[in-house]
Amino acid sequence: RRPGDARPASNPQPGDLYYGASLPYGRSLSAWERFLGSHLALNRSYFTYAPDLTTEVVARCRDDLANNRLPHVSVKPPGTWRAVASGAQDLWLIQLLLGLGQEHGPIFLTVHHEPENDAGAPGMLPADWVGMQRRALALAADHASNVTVVPVLQHWTFDPVRDDIEPSEWIVPDAPVFGIDVYNPWSLSNGREWRTFGSLTDEVLPWAGDAPIAIGEYGCREDPRNPGLASEWLRDAAEYARKSNVVSMSYFNSGANTTDGSLELHGAIERVFD
């Protein structure tokens, strides 16, 4: 699906699927699309806080919409989650939403994705993150009707083998979309179990209720001893999403912050992605 289709992405429905990816900072998206021979239906991009954050995010979304992509942007807020939740950062957040609200097309906005990595300090507890999401949802409803706030968590939080985290603490019950990142944990260096996209996502679905699912990131490394296995994983992921309540999915086409090896698409798996 494309952002110009009849049903807007700001009101995702079962059967909609926006299929896309993210790229490392500085790599040309338009050049990659020319290589693929098609446009992505979704572009995932990331921004840390800076004084010109709104300008950068709006420009990114404007370019995506002009090129018939659904923008899914992640931002890191100034200060703590609690400060945003309390309204202390409303000036920043409203400015961002007003800028995005002027664009003529749907936008997915995530405020601090994968928060589990940064939790623990004062003002940075699960309840603070949930409060921040609820503040963003309320302000978006008032100032940017084309923006869907999509909280994004990690699959690892919902893995049934864990007993050191309470997933319910991270759930945002009033969020219209449930965002999750899903990675096959296997790599040649770590020897962990090879997991299918479906088996991983199935562990999360009970927590999502009836909300549509946005796959904020997903990825799989190639096994040189088993050519074609990663390509099969990618095909199965897309098929699972088409048959499930998944409305968007973004492949993490990068080696950034990947301790067990790059997830960049090359060769056969890149052809399968397209």
Side-chain angles (χ1 to χ4, degrees):
R1 284 179 53 79
R2 303 290 182 179
D5 287 350
R7 285 193 303 273
S10 53
N11 184 26
Q13 300 293 320
D16 296 348
L17 178 59
Y18 292 85
Y19 186 73
S22 61
L23 287 177
Y25 180 78
R27 183 176 175 187
S28 170
L29 176 55
S30 58
W32 189 46
E33 288 180 325
R34 286 194 296 272
F35 172 80
L36 294 174
S38 63
H39 282 291
L40 300 184
L42 176 147
N43 179 34
R44 185 87 165 93
S45 50
Y46 306 86
F47 300 84
T48 56
Y49 176 73
D52 59 349
L53 174 68
T54 293
T55 300
E56 292 183 4
V57 175
V58 170
R60 175 73 271 166
C61 292
R62 182 174 299 147
D63 180 78
D64 285 339
L65 291 168
N67 285 281
N68 209 25
R69 311 180 198 108
L70 169 64
H72 185 168
V73 292
S74 275
V75 300
K76 292 288 180 70
T80 65
W81 302 334
R82 187 179 301 166
V84 179
S86 72
Q89 296 294 345
D90 277 2
L91 182 62
W92 162 75
L93 188 51
I94 290 173
Q95 181 187 43
L96 174 63
L97 288 166
L98 287 173
L100 296 176
Q102 292 176 5
E103 296 306 306
H104 300 292
I107 295 168
F108 280 5
L109 171 66
T110 295
V111 184
H112 204 138
H113 75 286
E114 295 191 349
E116 302 96 322
N117 292 337
D118 300 295
M124 301 289 282
L125 299 176
D128 300 318
W129 185 81
V130 171
M132 177 174 68
Q133 303 307 314
R134 302 186 84 165
R135 188 67 179 171
L137 285 161
L139 292 177
D142 289 340
H143 299 289
S145 60
N146 61 320
V147 172
T148 301
V149 175
V150 182
V152 176
L153 297 164
Q154 301 178 65
H155 159 268
W156 183 229
T157 293
F158 303 91
D159 193 313
V161 306
R162 294 193 68 175
D163 59 6
D164 60 337
I165 192 168
E166 176 48 57
S168 63
E169 294 181 351
W170 292 99
I171 303 297
V172 184
D174 38 353
V177 179
F178 190 100
I180 194 75
D181 291 345
V182 179
Y183 288 97
N184 180 2
W186 177 90
S187 80
L188 198 60
S189 62
N190 69 23
R192 295 177 64 184
E193 179 186 5
W194 182 278
R195 297 284 308 275
T196 66
F197 178 90
S199 71
L200 294 161
T201 308
D202 280 346
E203 294 172 347
V204 180
L205 292 184
W207 299 93
D210 296 328
I213 308 296
I215 306 297
E217 300 172 11
Y218 73 109
C220 179
R221 297 175 179 88
E222 294 192 82
D223 183 351
R225 303 164 302 183
N226 293 283
L229 190 60
S231 295
E232 181 182 349
W233 191 96
L234 213 62
R235 289 191 200 94
D236 289 346
E239 186 64 19
Y240 177 98
R242 279 194 290 264
K243 293 180 178 179
S244 304
N245 196 20
V246 176
V247 293
S248 70
M249 56 194 308
S250 172
Y251 188 89
F252 190 73
N253 189 17
S254 176
N257 303 315
T258 53
T259 56
D260 290 319
S262 176
L263 290 152
E264 285 187 84
L265 296 166
H266 296 289
I269 190 172
E270 187 171 37
R271 292 190 294 274
V272 166
F273 171 82
D274 185 40

